[in-house]
Amino acid sequence: MNNFDFYNPTKILFGKGRIADLNDQIPTDAKVLVLYGGGSAERTGVLAQVREALAGRTLIEFGGIEPNPRFATALKAVDLVAEKSITFLLAVGGGSVIDATKFIAAASKYDGDAWDILTSRGSVVTNALPFGTVLTLPATASEMNSGAVITNSEKGAKLPFGSPHCFPAFSMLDPEVTYTLPDRQIANGVADPFVHVIEQYLTYPVNAPIQDGFAETLMRTLIDLGPKALASPKDYDIRANLMWTATLALNGLIGAGVPQDWSSHMIGHEITALNDTDHARTLAVVLPSLMNDQRGPKRVKLLQYAANVWDIRDGSDDERIDAAIAATRRFFEELGIKTRLNDYDVDASGIDHIVGALKDHGMTALGEHGDITPDDARRILEAA
Ligand code: NZQ
Ligand code: ZN
């Protein structure tokens, strides 16, 4: 196992009715800005629960954060923070609202051009406003990590950043608020954490049986519960287990001390920047093709994945790897997620654009060995 630092200060408040405990988590003298998305939190009554829990406080609200949150929208919230002397942010939503809140928290304390936060991947961040989250869509684990992804439509860029100053102080995880999610978002919320686990697992062995075993359990749980969550939308135990699985998939624990390969994510982000395809769907397109393309360097872990996640034990090495890739693709398709690039209207000129964008954004040395180049990404996309 490699050397590592593990740091995660986020407090989780999990279970039915937990939003009622919100008041105790926020300093009594805080001036709070509540941030939310395009209206689902209002429609589903989650915002009403938040307002009730915080009754008696002066709350300022900022809605309209888009899926794949936009830089320009976040900057409007940064202005509001300054204008109203806000001291605490509360994100109510999914990964997009939480990611935007992280960026707003950092940009509110940054003196230079806020775009630097993204081009530096977060290294310029030395401080951030404190914030908490009320999670309404389990998928990204943004509720328990320090990363975020922001889209700048004018620049055609979707860029990640992270900072130890951007962990949520707390996150409220009430599985009942997920009952209102449409099937498409439930499916996304199964596929995205599955690929988060894969990107921290499917590299090469470093004798880390805890991380590997934990990762395999998370994947088997997603394979088991994903279809059940779609079939039984109001089953509390299924939703509760799915919610916790998504959080654990990217809160740093399974990635500590092991090599990682975020190439499916970085290539996928460029597909979303091109045509706004849902994040999880871009991953379902890139991952099976990348697994096939990288079967040499990833051979040992691919065989371990076949055996321990899919129970594929018969046949030659290549036959078992083929079967594991086919099972992965079938899993996404059975969730209702298409896995071919042409399902998302990306043609040859779209691939040219994505490859150019990877170069422009410095994504030229991806993978656990830093040897997946934009030319390799082109081959992976052409086969996808
Ligand atoms: O905008 P509203 O009206 O609120 O509707 C949202 C949105 O349209 C809706 N929704 C959320 N909770 C709901 C609900 N509808 C009904 N009932 C509820 N309880 O769902 C739609 C999608 O929401 P969004 O937040 O965009 O989805 P998700 O959580 O999948 O977040 C995706 C974003 O997170 C980034 C992605 O790139 C993408 O921008 N990621 C962030 C990561 C991180 N911070 O660690 C890691 C991920 O790999 C990912 O890159
Ligand atoms: Zn993701």
Side-chain angles (χ1 to χ4, degrees), residues 37-41 43-44 46 65-69 93-97 99 102 136-137 139-142 145 147-149 158 177-178 180-182 185 188 192 196 250 262 265 269 279 283:
S40 76
R43 278 196 308 281
T44 59
V46 176
I65 294 170
E66 309 83 354
N68 307 312
S96 292
V97 173
D99 281 11
K102 289 176 180 173
T136 64
L137 196 180
T140 63
S142 189
N145 68 37
V149 195
K158 180 172 183 181
V177 309
T178 72
T180 53
L181 284 165
Q185 299 301 343
N188 289 349
D192 188 24
H196 294 160
L250 192 50
W262 289 93
H265 269 73
H269 287 164
H279 168 66
L283 305 175

Side-chain angles (χ1 to χ4, degrees), residues 104-274:
I104 295 158
S108 296
K109 294 280 188 183
Y110 183 66
D111 288 333
D113 178 353
W115 185 240
D116 301 345
I117 295 173
L118 293 160
T119 51
S120 75
R121 301 285 182 267
S123 65
V124 300
V125 176
T126 55
N127 199 358
L129 274 180
F131 66 96
T133 89
V134 174
L135 181 67
T136 64
L137 196 180
T140 63
S142 189
E143 67 278 8
M144 202 179 175
N145 68 37
S146 58
V149 195
I150 300 293
T151 296
N152 186 325
S153 328
E154 292 72 39
K155 293 188 197 292
K158 180 172 183 181
L159 296 179
F161 86 96
S163 163
H165 302 285
C166 291
F167 280 100
F170 66 82
S171 285
M172 299 278 180
L173 275 58
D174 180 346
E176 288 191 314
V177 309
T178 72
Y179 291 167
T180 53
L181 284 165
D183 284 359
R184 166 173 154 186
Q185 299 301 343
I186 292 291
N188 289 349
V190 174
D192 188 24
F194 190 86
V195 183
H196 294 160
V197 176
I198 287 265
E199 305 242 52
Q200 299 166 87
Y201 168 88
L202 200 63
T203 57
Y204 53 88
V206 290
N207 201 352
I210 303 295
Q211 292 89 326
D212 279 3
F214 195 172
E216 287 160 0
T217 300
L218 292 172
M219 287 189 277
R220 285 195 305 266
T221 304
L222 290 164
I223 291 163
D224 177 35
L225 294 185
K228 291 180 183 165
L230 289 170
S232 312
K234 296 251 159 89
D235 185 311
Y236 181 81
D237 288 332
I238 292 171
R239 289 298 164 99
N241 282 298
L242 214 45
M243 198 171 209
W244 191 222
T245 306
T247 301
L248 291 169
L250 192 50
N251 72 347
L253 202 52
I254 62 167
V258 299
Q260 305 190 11
D261 166 13
W262 289 93
S263 47
S264 292
H265 269 73
M266 295 311 132
I267 299 169
H269 287 164
E270 300 299 356
I271 300 176
T272 301
L274 175 69

Side-chain angles (χ1 to χ4, degrees), residues 310-375:
W310 295 105
D311 204 21
I312 296 165
R313 295 166 196 282
D314 298 329
S316 68
D317 285 7
D318 275 320
E319 282 166 354
R320 281 179 283 149
I321 291 171
D322 285 342
I325 296 170
T328 309
R329 191 183 288 286
R330 199 160 51 241
F331 168 55
F332 294 140
E333 295 273 353
E334 283 173 6
L335 292 168
I337 297 181
K338 298 255 187 280
T339 60
R340 294 291 180 183
L341 195 54
N342 62 13
D343 294 321
Y344 299 92
D345 294 331
V346 179
D347 57 13
S349 71
I351 293 178
D352 287 343
H353 179 95
I354 293 164
V355 171
L358 286 168
K359 289 181 189 158
D360 290 348
H361 300 145
M363 303 294 174
T364 52
L366 301 174
E368 62 271 29
H369 301 292
D371 61 357
I372 299 182
T373 64
D375 284 340

